[in-house]
Amino acid sequence: MFSDIYKKNKNLLLAFGLITLLSSLPLFMRGILNGHDLTFHLLRIEGIAEEMRNHNLPVRISSLWMDGYGYPVSVFYGDILLYLPAFFRVIGFPVITVYKMYLFFLNFIAVIIAFVCFYKIFSDKKTALLLAMVYTTAGYRLVNLYIRSAVGEFCAMLFLPVLALALYKIYTEQYVEWKVYKRNARILAAGMAGLICTHILSAEMVCFVMALVSVVLWKKTFCKKVLRVYVLAVLETLVLSAYFIIPFLDYYMNETVTITSQVDEVIQKIQQEGAYLGQYFSFFQSMAGASLHHLSGRMGLTPGMVLMLTLVAAVVLCIQKKDTPLIRCFTFFSVLMLFIASDLFPWDHLATHYRWGALLSQVQFPWRYIGMAMIFLTMLLGFLLSYCKKRQTGFLNNIQLGIIGMCLFMSFFYTSDYVDHAYHMVEYYDTAELDTFSALYGGQYLKPGTDTQLFHNEVKGKKHEGNDRYCKKRMSYGTVL
């Protein structure tokens, strides 16, 4: 059976492999760049691996953190996709090797998910494959992978095409049987559950974007079938992600930790962190950097050459009134997401004067919405390709070759830029090389006012005879909670 499947789809599988390789070139170097959040996520993997060895599953509080005192990172940060690299750590692979294998695997899964979703939307394998290539090699996604080491965010980006498919079907399949709507609800629920169980902040952002879409398309939103499908999707999402949501809500409502206590106390001023409009077209800016105010120290913040040129082409069509309703719609949402991600959006004003504005500002960095813009832009590219195909412009093959060429060129450029920053490479082999305190990044999941400088490795209290490790773990739970 598998041989038949391979024979029928060998060219497609080869394309998947090549696209995966293209987005994974920086992994084929010695070591890995010491990204912004690398140590934090390596310790998440190490923590799960340690609990696997101790047969404590599912992991809620990782006893590895803070030299054994424990940290409830798994309660607040979905880690379902981290069990795979943790398993390879248990069987003996080095830390960095496991992490690089994990990134390669995610790139492969990203290509497959994107292809399947775009194929179901555009019903054209060549278009779906091109869109999968553009999405997985987009500039901002590569920055998340190799500069920010934002494991939660790039795991969440796996599910954005799923949500795009669900919303597209919900708003375009207006006159179908209810069983079709139930299928769309399941797709939406699967995408949302994936977000919640990997990066809850991305889930909050998507809810905000979905609310905007619902308001803009209010004529289609406020009809019986669409409202029913949203309600059904919410219920199914709760069921699919219950294993994470229940302990999360329990801690959120019953335990006071830094991240929950600051929600009502801190008004975050994040507007100056937003992307500069010019950065969206700075295709050859170095990927490396941080979220700084001065441009010279900023990391690259662009959806990439292909997607931004797609937006330019769509805007030209709209001005010339040669567009279609779908092109016009996705152009609008693409521009809106890029505006929200920029320093021009009034984040500080909204946070200061409105409760909902303060909640939205918890996103920390406005440029996170570039990820949302990417999915709208990728869909827009698909509609532009369909537009050219239907009108038989004669330029379709040249456009497709141009897209492939730009993806190749920009991937090679980013790989070269990655090599230029090789002096920041690290080669962690085992847990002993990781500082289990420094990666707390402010101790968001500790009780407010906790002084980690006072922590030490002494276990106080009655020990369980013959089970000192168990006693130590129980003491660590009490310290955190």
Side-chain angles (χ1 to χ4, degrees), residues 50-51 60-73 251 436-437 440 445-446 450-460 469-481:
E50 178 68 12
E51 299 311 311
R60 299 301 181 194
I61 298 177
S62 173
S63 60
L64 179 75
W65 291 74
M66 296 189 292
D67 289 346
Y69 281 90
Y71 196 47
V73 63
Y251 266 66
T436 60
F437 278 95
L440 292 174
Y445 311 134
L446 293 173
T450 300
D451 186 358
T452 57
Q453 298 298 319
L454 301 177
F455 284 34
H456 48 76
N457 243 352
E458 288 186 38
V459 179
K460 295 185 178 181
R469 167 174 273 190
Y470 174 79
C471 178
K472 184 175 180 179
K473 291 175 71 61
R474 296 299 299 170
M475 292 297 292
S476 71
Y477 290 177
T479 304
V480 175
L481 300 179

Side-chain angles (χ1 to χ4, degrees), residues 89-308:
R89 277 293 292 138
V90 170
I91 64 177
F93 283 87
V95 179
I96 288 300
T97 302
V98 162
Y99 183 72
K100 293 168 80 170
M101 290 166 58
Y102 180 56
L103 294 192
F104 187 87
F105 171 76
L106 288 181
N107 283 336
F108 183 66
I109 296 301
V111 174
I112 294 176
I113 291 177
F115 172 81
V116 171
C117 293
F118 294 136
Y119 178 68
K120 288 184 178 294
I121 293 172
F122 299 102
S123 302
D124 184 275
K125 287 187 178 181
K126 188 178 291 185
T127 297
L129 201 56
L130 278 174
L131 298 182
M133 172 185 273
V134 170
Y135 183 73
T136 53
T137 60
Y140 179 71
R141 183 177 180 275
L142 296 181
V143 166
N144 277 339
L145 279 167
Y146 303 118
I147 302 301
R148 295 185 58 222
S149 300
V151 171
E153 193 166 340
F154 63 66
C155 283
M157 293 177 76
L158 293 173
F159 302 99
L160 294 184
V162 179
L163 294 168
L165 170 63
L167 291 178
Y168 176 78
K169 293 292 187 181
I170 288 171
Y171 283 102
T172 57
E173 295 180 339
Q174 290 292 302
Y175 306 104
V176 293
E177 298 177 359
W178 172 242
K179 65 179 182 181
V180 177
Y181 273 85
K182 288 196 293 185
R183 180 200 64 197
N184 294 336
R186 286 194 294 270
I187 297 172
L188 181 58
M192 285 304 303
L195 286 180
I196 291 170
C197 296
T198 53
H199 195 231
I200 199 165
L201 191 58
S202 290
E204 294 172 7
M205 293 164 60
V206 164
C207 287
F208 172 59
V209 174
M210 288 174 60
L212 291 177
V213 171
S214 299
V215 171
V216 173
L217 304 177
W218 64 272
K219 288 184 179 180
K220 292 186 176 183
T221 300
F222 295 101
C223 69
K224 186 178 180 180
K225 283 188 177 180
V226 172
L227 292 176
R228 284 179 65 191
V229 81
Y230 273 128
V231 171
L232 181 59
V234 169
L235 295 176
E236 291 178 340
T237 299
L238 293 175
V239 172
L240 289 173
S241 54
Y243 97 96
F244 173 76
I245 290 178
I246 292 174
F248 172 81
L249 291 178
D250 178 37
Y251 266 66
Y252 194 90
M253 293 185 293
N254 300 316
E255 298 291 342
T256 303
V257 294
T258 301
I259 194 171
T260 58
S261 65
Q262 290 180 346
V263 172
D264 295 322
E265 298 175 4
V266 178
I267 297 177
Q268 296 194 40
K269 299 296 181 70
I270 67 172
Q271 186 167 340
Q272 59 186 357
E273 306 284 353
Y276 303 146
L277 293 186
Q279 282 189 279
Y280 294 149
F281 296 93
S282 300
F283 307 130
F284 304 107
Q285 178 186 354
S286 174
M287 289 201 309
S291 182
L292 303 177
H293 305 158
H294 51 88
L295 191 58
S296 61
R298 280 203 161 198
M299 60 188 169
L301 293 173
T302 174
M305 180 183 290
V306 175
L307 293 179
M308 291 309 299

Side-chain angles (χ1 to χ4, degrees), residues 41-60 62-65 73-74 77-87 89-90:
H41 293 297
L42 290 181
L43 279 171
R44 291 177 66 205
I45 295 172
E46 291 293 279
I48 294 172
E50 178 68 12
E51 299 311 311
M52 280 184 171
R53 297 185 187 100
N54 297 333
H55 310 292
N56 295 328
L57 297 174
V59 180
R60 299 301 181 194
S62 173
S63 60
L64 179 75
W65 291 74
V73 63
S74 294
Y77 210 132
D79 57 10
I80 191 168
L81 294 181
L82 294 181
Y83 281 76
L84 179 63
F87 169 76
R89 277 293 292 138
V90 170

Side-chain angles (χ1 to χ4, degrees), residues 344-360:
L344 300 181
F345 188 76
W347 285 100
D348 293 351
H349 176 80
L350 295 177
T352 304
H353 294 90
Y354 302 99
R355 168 65 178 168
W356 60 269
L359 291 174
L360 289 179

